[in-house]
Amino acid sequence: MTYHFDFGWLIGSLPVLLKGIRITVQLIVIGALFGVALGIACAWVRALGPKWLKPVVATYVELIRNTPFLIQLFFIFFGLPSLGIRMSELTAANLAMIVNLGAYSCEIVRAGIQATPRGQFEAGASLAMTPFQSFRYVVLVPALQRIWPALSSQIVIVMLGSAVVSQIAAEDLTFAANFIQSRNFRAFETYIVSTLIYLALAILLRQLLAGLGWMLFPRKASR
């Protein structure tokens, strides 16, 4: 059996693909910014925060890290409306990615904090800094410097995992690919194109994060 490749549909489908790419990029930008911020806040609580709050954050982290992202997405989009909390597909997808990345980045950042020499904490205390000020100005930047490659990899993983948001009809790249192949019946070619686009996005995102690391941590980059 001979299969004849046909990519003639590609030009006509570009608007749908471009919209899907735009939504996917939007998801990862919002998810990365707020997810990493949430992870840093949770890492501070787990490493240096008040004792009464640590079990709450630990429960959140373990719950998210030990359940499928798809279930978390379904809970937010289909489950929360039972409590009167309704949101659009895109909002639910954004929230799910923030919550998911927040839990994973929490543990990554916490590892960086725990690797910080005790002398840096003592230096902050000697300058009459509060624990939060010491964390922000003395501990956080060296900790992020240590774990930046791992954090970057996790962001890329979450970007690739965002493909499942198409299950709630969020119009990302996977949703666009599904829509196109349901019209042209060229599933093989359609998913080749979408796979190559995801590959390009992942490589580009990794390079952007590496460049951001060079900007944020120039001393490490110069070694």
Side-chain angles (χ1 to χ4, degrees):
M1 178 179 174
T2 302
Y3 186 84
H4 299 284
F5 288 93
D6 179 11
F7 291 93
W9 52 267
L10 185 57
I11 294 178
S13 300
L14 277 179
V16 178
L17 280 173
L18 290 175
K19 181 180 180 181
I21 293 171
R22 177 177 61 81
I23 296 298
T24 295
V25 170
Q26 177 184 329
L27 285 170
I28 192 55
V29 169
I30 294 175
L33 288 175
F34 291 97
V36 171
L38 176 60
I40 291 172
C42 291
W44 173 76
V45 171
R46 295 206 69 180
L48 305 168
K51 291 183 178 180
W52 65 269
L53 195 52
K54 289 183 179 182
V56 176
V57 173
T59 301
Y60 152 67
V61 170
E62 291 305 313
L63 178 65
I64 297 301
R65 292 176 71 230
N66 291 286
T67 55
F69 176 61
L70 183 60
I71 296 300
Q72 298 163 20
L73 179 67
F74 282 174
F75 176 80
I76 291 172
F77 187 69
F78 296 115
L80 291 184
S82 300
L83 304 177
I85 304 174
R86 290 177 172 80
M87 58 191 75
S88 67
E89 296 87 355
L90 193 55
T91 300
N94 277 316
L95 181 57
M97 290 185 65
I98 291 169
V99 170
N100 185 271
L101 181 58
Y104 282 94
S105 60
C106 169
E107 291 302 279
I108 294 172
V109 175
R110 185 165 74 105
I113 294 171
Q114 291 176 333
T116 301
R118 189 65 189 174
Q120 291 186 227
F121 293 93
E122 295 171 352
S126 68
L127 295 173
M129 291 183 176
T130 65
F132 179 76
Q133 289 174 327
S134 178
F135 172 76
R136 178 181 177 186
Y137 296 109
V138 179
V139 177
L140 180 59
V141 172
L144 288 176
Q145 184 175 347
R146 291 186 191 92
I147 53 85
W148 189 255
L151 187 60
S152 299
S153 295
Q154 186 60 46
I155 292 172
V156 173
I157 289 171
V158 170
M159 187 275 288
L160 296 175
S162 70
V164 302
V165 304
S166 62
Q167 297 297 310
I168 61 169
E171 299 181 19
D172 72 325
L173 177 57
T174 300
F175 181 92
N178 291 337
F179 176 83
I180 291 169
Q181 74 86 24
S182 70
R183 297 299 188 274
N184 63 16
F185 303 104
R186 308 295 299 189
F188 194 66
E189 293 93 329
T190 301
Y191 290 119
I192 285 177
V193 171
S194 60
T195 297
L196 292 175
I197 294 174
Y198 272 116
L199 176 62
L201 288 176
I203 293 173
L204 178 60
L205 178 58
R206 195 176 294 278
Q207 293 300 316
L208 287 174
L209 290 170
L212 181 59
W214 278 61
M215 293 173 59
L216 293 175
F217 317 116
R219 279 187 285 183
K220 181 179 179 181
S222 63
R223 292 174 186 171

